[in-house]
Amino acid sequence: MFSPTNSDCSSKLSAQSPHTHDLSQPFETNINPLTTSKLAHSNVLSSRDQLDLHPLSLTEQTDIDIKPIVSRSINWSNSATYQTAPTSHVQADSLGATGVNVPESITVNRLALRQKRWIQNTIDDQGLRTTIAKRSTDGTLDRTDLLKIFDIAKDGNQVDGQEFHDLKALVNGTTRSLMPESVQNLAGKVINGDRANRNYQDVALGNLKAGSSDSELTMLVSKWFLGTDHPFAWWSKYHQTDLPLFSDGASYQDIKQGDTGDCYLLASLAAVAKQDPQQIQDMFTDNGDGTYTVRFFRKGQAEYVTVDSYLPEYQGNSIYADYSQETWVALAEKAYAQLNESGWLDNWNDNGKHIDMRYSINSYDDIGGGWSFISTEQITGKTVQPTWSLDDEQAMIQAFQTGSLVTLGSKSDIGLSDKIIHNHAYALIDYNAQTQTFTLYNPWGVDNPYTSDQDANPDDGQVELTWTEMQTYFREWDALQQT
């Protein structure tokens, strides 16, 4: 388990913290020296219930009323022939037909009827059955619909066995297809369970089960859909901000690291913002109620978490990622800290071996230390290839010039007075072919404040290096895997 206590960062971990860190370890962990430090908590995971559902198959026979277009024979794909008439009642085995174009309304009506029958035959609780049927009449079950359905499930002092069965069916059965991807994912964490459910606001909770109290369901819904389970933050109080998510789109220059060692994450965000700023904007869904649904990826599959507009402050200033103008960086960092509790934000050593270097708790400090190639994959959903040496200048240039996201990790034995911070992550933001120099961005938002070797603008976080200097200061670089 590692966390930053670097000599070049003007802060130390609390004496209460269980963290230690060996600077020889290959983790980018530096924190901004202009701020201060903190950490931690944990608990026990309860068992996760599973439900194997068998909803209606798409080939089940269903009675539908087909409004006549013309009176003609319809040759369905199962070779049965039916005759339409002004008020005909036709039984169909398949949605496919040959010899005639079946109106879209027939398919839609048939699927709607199938959905209605599934709800009637599967959802036992009358209140839930009525609400689900009513909320799904438009063919969707969105976030607002799910919040209403969860409220109906809290019609007593506890979620009884019937209600729990129905909620399982809702998020795993046919109705799942009516939900947007983000709602599917979040509802699954509430109902099916997640490792992060072990705690809510530092109080032991656990996965939902038959017999869970209404208040436990409320906490799970609040955790995943309302973003009220804030990450632990030392010496800070949460305050609501009314600043915009983006003021002028996403830019790497918006990124200014605060007092946790997540330079690897912020360097990844900087690299994405430089090469594909729209992808940053696509991470966020504004829910219109002061909350945002934020998307990351786990092994290429989207994972979602909700954050509210409360951010930690100390004496009126942001203590973690800066949000003085806009909030997207701070909210992405906050979302990452919340997802950390789910236990899958993996890290690796430089031999490609998986290591568990975290407590997997909902805490800013527990995301201190990591690899940019992992966090870039988690932001983009794409495979990122780390290269553990700098011996191919043209490969890096070509990757960057063809639009790849490029990050770098510095060596641990760099002197304090050098241009580059040791054991730190940077994003490549420019290459000048004429001068053959690389421009990197320090997620601190400033150059190295400890060195006298400053350029003309030491407060922009941009450092220009020759390839020889790149080889001197850096041990590895990462880029999207070429296909």
Side-chain angles (χ1 to χ4, degrees):
M1 183 71 197
F2 302 97
S3 186
T5 54
N6 300 322
S7 60
D8 62 343
C9 299
S10 302
S11 61
K12 297 179 180 179
L13 286 174
S14 164
Q16 302 175 18
S17 169
H19 289 54
T20 59
H21 183 60
D22 179 356
L23 290 180
S24 66
Q25 296 296 324
F27 306 118
E28 286 90 43
T29 59
N30 272 281
I31 60 178
N32 194 323
L34 307 180
T35 56
T36 44
S37 282
K38 43 255 158 228
L39 182 78
H41 56 223
S42 73
N43 233 302
V44 184
L45 173 66
S46 61
S47 63
R48 180 169 178 170
D49 295 306
Q50 299 291 338
L51 182 65
D52 184 19
L53 295 174
H54 300 281
L56 299 180
S57 69
L58 288 178
T59 58
E60 182 194 0
Q61 291 192 348
T62 304
D63 290 335
I64 59 173
D65 289 321
I66 301 181
K67 295 182 180 180
I69 303 171
V70 290
S71 182
R72 64 166 67 180
S73 293
I74 301 178
N75 183 21
W76 295 87
S77 59
N78 65 352
S79 299
T81 302
Y82 304 97
Q83 182 75 24
T84 61
T87 57
S88 63
H89 198 62
V90 180
Q91 190 174 57
D93 309 289
S94 168
L95 295 180
T98 58
V100 68
N101 292 325
V102 180
E104 183 180 354
S105 61
I106 294 178
T107 300
V108 172
N109 290 340
R110 183 173 189 271
L111 292 176
L113 181 58
R114 183 189 303 283
Q115 194 70 62
K116 180 179 178 181
R117 286 186 170 182
W118 186 88
I119 293 170
Q120 292 295 324
N121 294 333
T122 307
I123 306 301
D124 296 324
D125 182 85
Q126 182 177 350
L128 285 174
R129 183 170 63 247
T130 300
T131 303
I132 294 170
K134 180 179 179 180
R135 306 295 298 198
S136 63
T137 54
D138 61 353
T140 63
L141 286 171
D142 61 17
R143 177 177 179 270
T144 301
D145 294 326
L146 264 292
L147 291 176
K148 180 63 177 177
I149 291 167
F150 289 143
D151 279 342
I152 295 299
K154 296 178 290 185
D155 57 358
N157 294 322
Q158 67 176 21
V159 179
D160 61 33
Q162 182 173 283
E163 291 167 331
F164 182 61
H165 166 273
D166 291 346
L167 291 174
K168 282 275 193 178
L170 171 71
V171 301
N172 295 295
T174 299
T175 44
R176 175 181 173 84
S177 65
L178 305 182
M179 304 175 196
E181 181 183 68
S182 59
V183 175
Q184 290 180 15
N185 186 260
L186 294 173
K189 290 170 180 175
V190 172
I191 305 304
N192 294 329
D194 188 271
R195 189 175 187 272
N197 292 346
R198 56 188 177 174
N199 291 305
Y200 176 77
Q201 295 182 350
D202 294 331
V203 176
L205 181 54
N207 288 327
L208 191 72
K209 59 185 181 298
S212 291
S213 67
D214 287 354
S215 62
E216 288 173 322
L217 176 57
T218 296
M219 286 187 280
L220 289 169
V221 172
S222 297
K223 181 185 187 78
W224 292 110
F225 279 89
L226 303 179
T228 54
D229 194 9
H230 301 154
F232 179 74
W234 282 97
W235 306 328
S236 303
K237 290 185 178 180
Y238 277 86
H239 294 275
Q240 189 172 25
T241 176
D242 58 1
L243 289 169
L245 182 64
F246 300 99
S247 62
D248 54 358
S251 167
Y252 69 87
Q253 293 172 308
D254 300 332
I255 296 171
K256 295 176 177 61
Q257 185 182 348
D259 189 31
T260 195
D262 61 352
C263 55
Y264 65 97
L265 171 66
L266 299 188
S268 294
L269 289 171
V272 178
K274 168 59 182 176
Q275 298 284 53
D276 189 4
Q278 185 59 48
Q279 188 162 38
I280 295 291
Q281 293 182 266
D282 291 343
M283 289 175 62
F284 296 87
T285 299
D286 187 342
N287 296 319
D289 58 359
T291 70
Y292 299 90
T293 301
V294 187
R295 182 198 65 203
F296 286 94
F297 290 91
R298 180 184 184 183
K299 297 180 179 179
Q301 300 298 311
E303 292 281 348
Y304 293 87
V305 65
T306 304
V307 294
D308 62 18
S309 54
Y310 286 79
L311 288 165
E313 294 181 0
Y314 179 71
Q315 296 182 347
N317 298 309
S318 57
I319 194 168
Y320 297 107
D322 179 72
Y323 56 93
S324 57
Q325 302 296 323
E326 52 198 329
T327 61
W328 74 267
V329 182
L331 292 181
E333 180 184 58
K334 180 185 177 185
Y336 198 78
Q338 289 178 203
L339 271 182
N340 183 59
E341 194 173 17
S342 291
W344 56 266
L345 300 182
D346 297 329
N347 283 272
W348 308 78
N349 65 18
D350 55 0
N351 294 318
K353 181 180 178 181
H354 173 255
I355 56 173
D356 183 6
M357 61 177 291
R358 295 188 176 138
Y359 290 111
S360 295
I361 56 178
N362 186 9
S363 164
Y364 279 99
D365 286 278
D366 202 43
I367 62 171
W371 290 105
S372 289
F373 77 89
I374 295 291
S375 51
T376 302
E377 287 186 346
Q378 292 166 342
I379 293 166
T380 65
K382 300 175 182 177
T383 301
V384 178
Q385 179 63 51
T387 300
W388 302 101
S389 63
L390 275 77
D391 55 10
D392 191 341
E393 179 181 9
Q394 290 306 310
M396 184 183 296
I397 294 171
Q398 181 180 8
F400 180 76
Q401 291 182 337
T402 56
S404 181
L405 319 170
V406 177
T407 56
L408 299 96
S410 63
K411 297 177 180 178
S412 59
D413 58 354
I414 300 173
L416 192 62
S417 62
D418 286 313
K419 287 183 178 180
I420 296 298
I421 306 296
H422 76 280
N423 219 43
H424 195 45
Y426 287 76
L428 178 60
I429 59 170
D430 192 32
Y431 173 72
N432 188 319
Q434 185 174 359
T435 61
Q436 297 183 343
T437 54
F438 300 80
T439 302
L440 308 182
Y441 184 71
N442 178 358
W444 285 359
V446 296
D447 304 352
N448 185 354
Y450 302 117
T451 182
S452 59
D453 188 9
Q454 302 280 5
D455 59 23
N457 189 355
D459 297 322
D460 63 358
Q462 299 181 32
V463 183
E464 192 173 279
L465 301 174
T466 65
W467 178 248
T468 299
E469 289 175 313
M470 295 276 279
Q471 292 178 306
T472 298
Y473 294 133
F474 292 95
R475 56 186 167 171
E476 64 90 26
W477 65 282
D478 317 310
L480 295 181
Q481 184 170 294
Q482 298 298 316
T483 57

